[in-house]
Amino acid sequence: MKALTYDGPYRVKVRNKPEPRIEHPQDGIVRVTAAAICGSDLHLLHGLIPDTRIGFTFGHEFTGVVEELGPEAQGVRKGDRVMLPFQIFCGGCYFCTRGLTSCCESTNPATDAGTGIYGYSHTMGGYDGGQAEYVRVPFIGVDAEKIPDDVEDLDALPITDAFATGYQAAEMCELKGGETVLVLGCGPVGLFSMWSAWAMGAERVIAVDHVDYRLEFARNWLGVETLNFRDIDLVTTIKGMTDDRGADATVDAVGLEAAGSPVHRALGIYLKLEAGSPQALNFAIHATRKGGTISVIGAYGPPYNGVDIGTYMNKAQRMNTGQASVKRYMPRLLEHVQSGRIRPQQVFTHRLPLDRAPEGYRMFAQKRDGCVKVALLPDGNATLH
Amino acid sequence: MDPTPRVITPDEVQRKSGYQSMEPPKRPPWWGIDRDPARRPGVPRMRQPQPWPNTRFPPERQPGTPAVFKHGRPNKPFPPVFGTSCPPRGLSGAIRSVAYGLPDHYPTHWLLLLLGDRIESWGTRARRILPVALPVAILGFLVRRALA
């Protein structure tokens, strides 16, 4: 089968690989109909996530059709259209039963920090991802969510990660209605955070980025206020916009490749002396009011960062973190899609066949051609619902 | 919680916006649809224990050889399901094996893993380039010597 494979930092290629097989009685094999390139795939591409091996297939955001089932897989049938949460979870361990499927204990020996994730290095379990024609899906009966007939694949696709992650980011802001929410980063997760902040009753939503076309996309799609931090002193401006206090809540939807500090980029990204650049987190600490909430959904690598922890402590802030436990969000987000409140597929500015995946990665990484998000279609449009 | 928080108008936003306000906010028609925390699926974050539908727990152990190591925290059990893509090989595999001998709260664990990544990447690149570059270099050297 054709699959995108990692070829060392900044290089990916589409190659032929052996098709996946059932390796556990609760496994299934899914034929991928659509896979997205996520912003966090770029951290893998840039060699920033430890234990990313040559030949590994990326892709943790995908939809597909069930092709094969293990003898103990229940709840789905061959031919079902399904979407898969980006984490692999068992459904029965301590954390899964309590709703934190992103912390499942049954799928990743490599670290205590996270559960198994499709296509996200051997640090996250060593499971090949969905930027391929077929993918092995452990615990398919528990993890897979059937896509309703009236929902298109490309509308379901962001629910498997970006939409659910953005929604949880807004949820972690603990909004009660009437707050000013600052969202750092106008990538797909940031955009869905803004949508969700409106849905949860934010009074103002202010989007921040340094790429003008993305700010324009946020302004046009969601009607938010926008700031380009290349043009202004971000923290001073935010305080000026909020009675000199700062935002009530801030979402960090950027993570470890943040721009805005040449020193942190040099130390963290080029010299690897810290785990990427923590500049977005530092912006968040300074731009959030005292007693406010910071919601961290951006991906950071291990193990340490130069975070302004003293300011954070003195401002009596609260930080909520965590990967989205996607499965619990799926029914609500599907309801929003089915009711027409959002068409998630509008974030896909580019739709490419799998063969052109390396081009999609380059375009997305270099923020060229107005790229917001890329969908890869292994069989072209033919299999899309 | 104040059940009816005051919502300022776009005009007020403009007036209070100090240094910059790019445009008045345009709240969408569905604004506040999930304002009630009861409509938010992740609230509370830790719920009463309840298995997910179709769960068979504990899962039986996956046969075969894992491609992924267990990190070095004593007493951590190897989970029943694991990835099998790209098993460790060569020098990079040996370095990764040493790295995973340490627990994941040791910075050395992660730095060794990054070293393993770079070595694998350099090795792969060298294996592709050297079969072409080495004969060309030798030929060039011999030609230069012959000419000299």
Side-chain angles (χ1 to χ4, degrees), chain A residues 7 11 23-24 47 51 53 97 111-112 122 128 167 175 199 202-203 225-226 232 321 328 332 336, chain B residues 8 20 22-23 31 34 39-40 44-45 50 60 67 73 76 84-86 100 104 117-118 125:
Chain A
D7 213 25
R11 295 194 306 274
E23 299 187 40
H24 183 273
D51 206 359
R53 298 185 190 169
T97 53
T111 176
D112 289 346
H122 283 62
D128 269 332
Y167 190 96
L175 304 179
E203 182 178 290
E225 298 166 72
T226 53
I232 53 167
T321 66
R328 57 196 291 194
R332 175 69 71 237
H336 286 312
Chain B
I8 63 173
Q20 296 220 3
M22 300 295 112
E23 60 282 321
W31 178 84
D34 288 348
R39 272 188 58 84
R40 301 177 192 172
R45 291 196 91 186
Q50 178 192 349
E60 65 181 69
R73 179 170 65 75
K76 179 180 170 71
T84 52
S85 168
C86 305
Y100 280 109
D104 68 352
D117 288 357
R118 296 301 167 265
R125 204 178 301 185

Side-chain angles (χ1 to χ4, degrees), chain B residues 7-20:
Chain B
V7 176
I8 63 173
T9 63
D11 283 348
E12 280 180 280
V13 170
Q14 286 289 69
R15 203 166 56 247
K16 290 166 68 178
S17 291
Y19 305 98
Q20 296 220 3

Side-chain angles (χ1 to χ4, degrees), chain A residues 206-270:
Chain A
I206 303 169
V208 175
D209 206 300
H210 66 110
V211 181
D212 280 328
Y213 78 80
R214 291 197 166 186
L215 289 164
E216 192 182 337
F217 191 98
R219 199 162 48 235
N220 294 338
W221 197 43
L222 297 165
V224 297
E225 298 166 72
T226 53
L227 294 173
N228 185 330
F229 69 81
R230 295 273 195 226
D231 301 338
I232 53 167
D233 179 327
L234 179 65
V235 175
T236 306
T237 304
I238 293 293
K239 287 183 178 174
M241 293 169 74
T242 53
D243 291 338
D244 290 325
R245 294 196 181 95
D248 296 303
T250 299
V251 173
D252 168 5
V254 179
L256 64 85
E257 293 195 65
S261 166
V263 173
H264 277 306
R265 282 189 73 82
L267 287 176
I269 296 173
Y270 304 119

Side-chain angles (χ1 to χ4, degrees), chain B residues 91-93 95 114-125:
Chain B
L91 180 59
S92 62
I95 292 170
L114 282 172
L115 176 67
D117 288 357
R118 296 301 167 265
I119 284 175
E120 186 182 31
S121 169
W122 296 330
T124 306
R125 204 178 301 185

Side-chain angles (χ1 to χ4, degrees), chain A residues 6-74:
Chain A
Y6 178 61
D7 213 25
Y10 295 89
R11 295 194 306 274
V12 283
K13 276 189 178 164
V14 176
R15 287 200 170 87
N16 280 315
K17 281 180 85 164
E19 285 186 13
R21 57 188 177 79
I22 301 285
E23 299 187 40
H24 183 273
Q26 295 192 52
D27 280 1
I29 303 294
V30 163
R31 177 172 55 82
V32 178
T33 52
I37 302 177
C38 178
S40 54
D41 287 331
L42 300 181
H43 308 329
L44 293 167
L45 177 72
H46 296 159
L48 293 165
I49 304 297
D51 206 359
T52 304
R53 298 185 190 169
I54 307 288
F56 190 62
T57 296
F58 297 166
H60 53 268
E61 222 175 338
F62 58 92
T63 59
V65 175
V66 178
E67 285 281 313
E68 203 179 332
L69 290 168
E72 288 182 10
Q74 297 171 335

